[in-house]
Amino acid sequence: MKDALILIDIQNDFCPGGSLAVNEGDQIIPIVNQLQKQFDLVIATQDWHPADHISFAANHTNKKVGEFIDVNGNPQILWPVHCAQGTHGADFVEELDMSKVKKVFQKGTNKQIDSYSGFFDNDHKNSTGLGDYLKLEGVENVYIVGLATDYCVKYTVIDALSLGFNTNVVIDACRGVKLNPNDVENAIQDMEKAGAKIIMSNSL
Ligand code: VGL
Ligand code: ZN
């Protein structure tokens, strides 16, 4: 039963001071660094958008952050410019130990579609290769940590379950964007309903 720890989007723009800062996002870093010592396989995802990405409000006239646009019949919320390729905001947080990370999977690289999940674009048409990689490595159990609970963590967890991985969310090593006050609680419910186990780092 091989395990993998997957670090979701622990990047400067999602931490205090960043353009899409998640409250307390930086507080997960010591937990994540400690947790890595208990895993033989550690993988990271990186939100990695071209400057002209469709999810940036700045790329639409008369649209503000938080408003929605229609992308091929699906609603797309508009974000501040974040994790633009090659910028400091897109870099992994300096304090994050990357020495054990075997492979990084970048997502959101197609300007025409957003990608919250570390596995697939939001329309599920293109994969990042993460699923095939984990299967080739013989991974059966995944442990997910990172940012943000109510977006990229949640959608990565749901796709991991759909691909057949036994999926655990280390919830004290995650933080949410919380556009609405209950978003984290709702995300936890959605993940549990899909079959995920919600655990604390000290139970590992
Ligand atoms: C994320 C919003 C936009 C995330 C990425 O990593 O949760 N959220 N892009
Ligand atoms: Zn993004």
Side-chain angles (χ1 to χ4, degrees):
M1 293 284 268
K2 193 165 170 186
D3 299 343
L5 179 66
I6 304 178
L7 320 184
I8 305 295
D9 300 359
I10 308 180
Q11 297 167 255
N12 291 320
D13 271 341
F14 297 124
C15 284
S19 67
L20 214 176
V22 172
N23 191 30
E24 300 183 346
D26 54 335
Q27 291 188 17
I28 70 169
I29 291 159
I31 306 171
V32 171
N33 287 344
Q34 191 63 32
L35 211 49
Q36 291 195 58
K37 298 176 185 162
Q38 293 169 252
F39 286 83
D40 292 328
L41 181 60
V42 183
I43 302 300
T45 67
Q46 186 176 31
D47 212 33
W48 190 249
H49 299 306
D52 56 355
H53 195 255
I54 197 166
S55 77
F56 298 166
N59 291 332
H60 303 271
T61 41
N62 298 321
K63 289 283 175 195
K64 289 205 278 288
V65 169
E67 291 187 323
F68 287 84
I69 58 163
D70 177 287
V71 177
N72 308 322
N74 297 309
Q76 164 72 51
I77 195 163
L78 295 175
W79 300 108
V81 173
H82 67 278
C83 300
Q85 295 175 6
T87 63
H88 173 76
D91 288 345
F92 292 109
V93 176
E94 284 86 296
E95 291 78 15
L96 180 67
D97 184 2
M98 291 295 290
S99 66
K100 279 196 75 172
V101 174
K102 199 164 167 197
K103 206 165 159 59
V104 172
F105 289 86
Q106 295 178 326
K107 62 190 190 56
T109 57
N110 177 348
K111 73 169 191 171
Q112 307 203 67
I113 184 89
D114 210 354
S115 180
Y116 294 142
S117 163
F119 290 98
F120 300 102
D121 288 345
N122 287 359
D123 62 7
H124 279 77
K125 284 193 182 133
N126 282 290
S127 93
T128 60
L130 173 58
D132 288 341
Y133 176 85
L134 294 173
K135 297 233 156 132
L136 274 173
E137 288 278 330
V139 170
E140 289 171 83
N141 308 310
V142 296
Y143 291 79
I144 313 261
V145 300
L147 308 171
T149 318
D150 37 3
Y151 286 92
C152 293
V153 168
K154 170 179 149 177
Y155 288 101
T156 300
V157 164
I158 287 170
D159 282 344
L161 288 160
S162 77
L163 290 171
F165 297 105
N166 175 21
T167 306
N168 303 273
V169 186
V170 187
I171 201 69
D172 54 320
C174 299
R175 290 293 187 280
V177 179
K178 292 197 216 180
L179 293 180
N180 306 294
N182 291 327
D183 281 357
V184 166
E185 288 75 12
N186 290 336
I188 289 172
Q189 269 194 18
D190 292 345
M191 291 189 285
E192 279 185 316
K193 249 185 241 161
K197 226 191 266 171
I198 310 293
I199 62 170
M200 294 287 285
S201 58
N202 65 11
S203 74
L204 287 171

